[in-house]
Amino acid sequence: MSNELIGYRALVTGGTAGIGLACTRLLAQAGASVVFTGRDRRRGESVAAQLGAAQFRAADMADLDEVRAMAQEVGPVDILVNNAAYFPGSLTVDQDPAAFDTAFATNVRGAYFLVAALVPHMLAQGGGSIVNITSMVAFKGVPGASTYSASKAALESLTRSWSAEFGGSGVRVNSVAPGPTNTEGVRAEWGDTNDELGRALPLGRTAEPDEIAEAVLFLSSPRAKFITGSTLHVDGGGSAV
């Protein structure tokens, strides 16, 4: 692994498992000083001990006070990966309003105000990279994913708005849109449906978290220095069919 991110400070939300954990690991291996967040303090501290190269900060991205406090505690960063997400699976007619609110509070509002808190430093220093983890279902209709899809589509829109808003100061904002991925959280929420979605892709399988994290690493790095406002579809061809 190259040391291309030595001297960079990164924050990964929802970094205790799945795609977030894979991102935390790869960014640290590339030399970045990484802080990762999660709601479960015990789990986060256990993961930090295993990694040995990243720091954990407890935060619930649905709680705006916790988001602002965490941003102040973590301080300036050069790379922000908005990965934390809540993904209730439910048909629209059965959707629980509380779960709907939690999804948008976590996936949209939390990311929005975390960026608002951290981007001033990036703007002042003349550079930085924000990577939003969205989803294939922000572009494709999947029954039972309406709330999650809508929240991720909102984050895609923010990617474009932020790239226009911050680009003049050298801050890049991009999205990585994974297809069905083999993570503990997705398996718990979606079960066999996740594997069925994977089999329907041109590549015929679900992704592994590291395959998504490689795309995040690229967009975070100087190798992507002329890329902003873009979405990298890491979905096994799902967006093409």
Side-chain angles (χ1 to χ4, degrees), residues 4 6-7 13 18 32 47 54 70 75-76 81 120 127 142 150 152 184-185 208 224 227:
E4 63 183 339
I6 285 179
T13 66
V47 169
M70 180 268 292
V81 180
V142 175
K152 289 302 187 178
E184 179 182 340
E208 294 301 320
I227 301 175

Side-chain angles (χ1 to χ4, degrees), residues 90-92 94-101:
S90 176
L91 295 174
T92 300
D94 298 322
Q95 182 64 68
D96 174 57
F100 181 96
D101 288 345

Side-chain angles (χ1 to χ4, degrees), residues 172-209:
R172 299 182 297 106
V173 189
N174 294 288
S175 295
V176 169
T181 304
N182 182 27
T183 71
E184 179 182 340
V186 172
R187 288 195 302 271
E189 186 65 41
W190 290 90
D192 292 340
T193 300
N194 194 53
D195 291 332
E196 292 170 7
L197 289 170
R199 287 191 291 271
L201 300 174
L203 291 185
R205 65 174 178 86
T206 59
E208 294 301 320

Side-chain angles (χ1 to χ4, degrees), residues 16 27 51 65 87 89 142 147 162 172 177 192 195 212 226 238:
T16 61
L27 291 170
L51 292 176
D65 289 337
F87 34 87
V142 175
T147 296
W162 286 336
R172 299 182 297 106
D192 292 340
D195 291 332
I212 311 302
F226 199 60

